[in-house]
């Protein structure tokens, strides 16, 4: 299984499977789908309308990694459950923060 992130020169890309209206804002670990792709499993209390759930996801990831939310952007999956986030910064530093958060 490959991890749900990819490192690039100036950023990290993170694959996420989001559950909006999830009862609480939380990251529930890593999940592998039927095709063998790994995703970070996340849930937010926000509803999936007008980008509210996407904004809540970005805020959740920013708080979890202790980075500014302005360094996170949505690359793909604006209206889908599976999303790709771009997190700007030193990829090695971001990876350390992500691994520490996930335990």
């Amino acid at each position: 299984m490959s991890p749900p992130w990819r490192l690039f020169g100036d950023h990290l890309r993170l694959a996420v499977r989001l559950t909006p209206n999830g009862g609480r804002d939380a990251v529930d670990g890593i999940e592998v789908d039927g095709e063998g792709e790994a995703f970070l499993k996340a849930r937010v209390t926000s509803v999936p309308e007008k980008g509210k759930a996407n904004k809540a996801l970005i805020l959740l990831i920013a708080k979890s990694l202790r980075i500014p939310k302005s360094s996170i952007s949505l690359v793909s999956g604006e209206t889908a459950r599976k999303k790709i986030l771009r997190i700007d910064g030193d990829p090695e530093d971001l990876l350390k923060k992500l691994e520490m958060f996930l335990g």
Side-chain angles (χ1 to χ4, degrees), residues 2-66:
S2 61
W5 56 78
R6 289 207 177 121
L7 303 180
F8 292 86
D10 63 344
H11 69 281
L12 176 144
R13 289 201 180 180
L14 181 63
V16 179
R17 183 173 180 275
L18 179 64
T19 302
N21 250 349
R24 61 189 168 93
D25 292 347
V27 174
D28 296 329
I30 296 175
E31 175 184 85
V32 179
D33 67 9
E35 297 157 11
E37 266 189 274
F39 290 90
L40 188 70
K41 206 168 133 181
R43 65 177 66 211
V44 294
T45 56
S46 298
V47 293
E49 59 186 44
K50 298 181 182 170
K52 290 179 184 175
N54 291 337
K55 287 178 186 170
L57 171 64
I58 288 172
L59 187 61
L60 173 65
I61 298 298
K63 282 183 177 178
S64 300
L65 299 180
R66 295 186 173 100

Side-chain angles (χ1 to χ4, degrees), residues 1 9 15-16 21 23 47 53 61-62 66 69 76 82 90 94 96:
M1 170 184 90
V16 179
N21 250 349
V47 293
I61 298 298
R66 295 186 173 100
K69 66 182 180 185
S76 67
K82 293 180 179 176
D90 177 20
L94 292 169
K96 285 178 190 170

Side-chain angles (χ1 to χ4, degrees), residues 50-103:
K50 298 181 182 170
K52 290 179 184 175
N54 291 337
K55 287 178 186 170
L57 171 64
I58 288 172
L59 187 61
L60 173 65
I61 298 298
K63 282 183 177 178
S64 300
L65 299 180
R66 295 186 173 100
I67 59 174
K69 66 182 180 185
S70 61
S71 65
I72 302 175
S73 58
L74 190 63
V75 173
S76 67
E78 192 169 320
T79 58
R81 289 176 67 110
K82 293 180 179 176
K83 303 175 182 300
I84 304 291
L85 296 178
R86 176 187 168 124
I87 307 173
D88 290 322
D90 177 20
E92 295 296 328
D93 185 43
L94 292 169
L95 182 57
K96 285 178 190 170
K97 289 180 179 189
L98 190 58
E99 287 175 336
M100 281 177 52
F101 170 68
L102 292 173

